[in-house]
Amino acid sequence: MILFLLACGTEPADTAASDSGTCETAVTWQNFAQGYFASYCQSCHASTTPDRHGAPEGVDFATEAETREQAAAVRRTVLTNSTMPPGGGLLEDDVALLTEWLDCAPAR
Ligand code: HEC
């Protein structure tokens, strides 16, 4: 019974730990992610865009908070499945920086 409870409890905790606090990075919203999401995502994924090109309502990447909330979906669509941005064209440098930004809590 105790083992069962522990097994249930560990997975979300592990995920949370790997999303923040296990490493520090110089890659921040201000010096990288904001510009990245503005260049590659916000033309479709922002509440202010004149034409979402079919991007779902609420899947927006205009602020750090809303982007962090959707970190898992960003990782999946951009890094794992390469379905976003739709035309592709992700630079190698950006892959490395985006991976680090998603993995690490910025040093503050
Ligand atoms: C040219 C417009 C366009 C751009 C640019 C774009 N997207 Fe999308 N996005 C879409 C459309 C259309 C959908 C809905 C269809 C789909 O899911 O494939 C979508 C869906 C999504 C979803 C939700 C679907 C899912 O599988 O969770 C995520 C997350 C996402 N995009 C992330 C991104 C990210 C991150 C970027 C920037 C790297 C980006 N998109 C750039 C048009 C765009």
Side-chain angles (χ1 to χ4, degrees), residues 10-87:
T10 48
E11 229 180 76
D14 282 349
T15 311
S18 67
D19 276 350
S20 65
T22 51
C23 56
E24 282 203 348
T25 175
V27 183
T28 64
W29 176 254
Q30 285 78 11
N31 73 15
F32 166 70
Q34 184 170 33
Y36 173 80
F37 287 98
S39 302
Y40 292 99
C41 314
Q42 285 172 22
S43 58
C44 303
H45 291 280
S47 59
T48 51
T49 186
D51 183 354
R52 301 183 67 89
H53 298 277
E57 289 293 326
V59 183
D60 289 343
F61 306 106
T63 67
E64 178 167 19
E66 67 192 356
T67 304
R68 285 266 180 215
E69 269 172 29
Q70 302 174 88
V74 171
R75 197 187 297 273
R76 173 171 46 75
T77 54
V78 179
L79 298 174
T80 308
N81 298 339
S82 305
T83 52
M84 291 291 146

